[in-house]
Amino acid sequence: MRNMLSITSLNSPVFIIAAKEIKDSFRNRWISFISLIFIVLSLSITFAGSAITGTLALPALPSLITSLSTVSVFIIPLAAILLSYDAFVGEDEAGTLLLLLSYPLTRFQIILGKLLGHGFVMFVSISFAFGGTGILLLLLGGSYPVMETLLVFMQFILSSFLLALTFILVGYLVSLRATEKARAVGSLLFIWFLFVLLYDLLLLAVLVAELSVINQSVLNLLIALNPTDLYRAVNEMAIDSSEGLSLLNGSSWALEGLYASMLAWICVLMAVSHQLFRRKSL
């Protein structure tokens, strides 16, 4: 109980570390940079996405969320790993990690503080971009139902935030194992390519091959093994969309189960990061 109170206190080392990470992100203009990328992406898809058909028209809500999630699944993980890749290896190279560990802090507090700080940066950027787009959509498009639009964008922001947390923790794993920042970046870009592009191509090839062992349960398991597929499945199921990736259509999973799977990814990655940090020798 005492440990829990110390973590939740505003004077807790966890919040002090989180505040330091947030200040570093402001100083390095990370919040401005990520927010700008997300807002340009969101506005261009929303208000100019129909330009390829020769007309300019606001899309239907299910089509819009499908388009946003299809593109965001590439950008959000990339932004998250670029934000977190040097969380430990960078401080190790600079000598500040050893100094940090000389204070009366547990390694769990350090990881949790960094996660809160980096998570706050991603949440602000995601909320500002996609929340602002939803508000503009309601102001400029009178045909959109207010409550439905707000709920759809709120769940989209939530799922995007969970995806960002997942890849922030992936960045921590690599940062804890790497000996140089350059190697950390290279390894994370390969992991990004593996999860975002290669996995889906292989899964699509397996489905096209129509193997007898691939039933709905196996498909659900394959989706759960990739957080980016979970993200797309969550957003398609939330809007009950029949568009987008055919491999996600007809999934029998409840929306709560998909969110629970995303949370499971975060918890597992957090536990593994903590174990790696405990065993890390400085």
Side-chain angles (χ1 to χ4, degrees), residues 14-233:
V14 171
F15 287 104
I16 294 174
I17 294 171
K20 181 259 184 188
E21 297 295 337
I22 294 170
K23 289 178 181 177
D24 288 345
S25 298
F26 273 110
R27 185 173 62 251
N28 298 331
R29 302 185 184 276
W30 260 112
I31 289 184
S32 302
F33 177 68
I34 296 174
S35 297
L36 179 62
I37 291 177
F38 288 160
I39 195 68
V40 170
L41 166 71
S42 183
L43 292 178
S44 61
I45 291 176
T46 302
F47 296 100
S50 62
I52 58 175
T53 64
T55 60
L56 285 177
L58 292 176
L61 197 57
S63 178
L64 173 59
I65 296 300
T66 298
S67 299
L68 284 175
S69 61
T70 300
V71 179
S72 296
V73 78
F74 293 92
I75 305 300
I76 291 175
L78 187 60
I81 62 178
L82 290 177
L83 181 65
S84 62
Y85 80 94
D86 64 342
F88 295 95
V89 68
E91 291 204 22
D92 194 12
E93 287 185 353
T96 54
L97 185 59
L98 186 60
L99 177 63
L100 187 62
L101 290 173
S102 67
Y103 293 104
L105 300 170
T106 66
R107 301 199 178 199
F108 179 76
Q109 286 176 322
I110 295 174
I111 291 181
L112 184 58
K114 286 180 175 291
L115 182 62
L116 287 177
H118 291 147
F120 177 82
V121 172
M122 292 298 298
F123 181 76
V124 169
S125 302
I126 290 169
S127 299
F128 175 74
F130 299 132
T133 299
I135 293 173
L136 284 176
L137 203 62
L138 289 175
L139 293 176
L140 301 178
S143 60
Y144 292 93
V146 177
M147 287 306 300
E148 180 183 353
T149 302
L150 289 176
L151 289 174
V152 165
F153 272 91
M154 284 175 62
Q155 77 80 26
F156 183 66
I157 290 171
L158 175 60
S159 62
S160 298
F161 176 60
L162 293 177
L163 180 66
L165 286 181
T166 301
F167 277 88
I168 287 172
L169 287 166
V170 170
Y172 289 174
L173 287 178
V174 175
S175 188
L176 285 165
R177 296 283 296 179
T179 56
E180 298 176 357
K181 288 194 290 186
R183 290 186 179 181
V185 172
S187 299
L188 283 168
L189 289 177
F190 174 75
I191 292 173
W192 174 83
F193 174 78
L194 179 65
F195 275 116
V196 176
L197 294 173
L198 186 59
Y199 189 93
D200 275 346
L201 290 176
L202 294 176
L203 181 56
L204 186 59
V206 169
L207 292 175
V208 171
E210 297 183 354
L211 300 178
S212 58
V213 295
I214 303 298
N215 53 33
Q216 190 62 56
S217 298
V218 175
L219 177 60
N220 289 341
L221 177 61
L222 292 175
I223 291 174
L225 293 177
N226 187 348
T228 61
D229 280 341
L230 280 172
Y231 173 72
R232 280 183 269 206

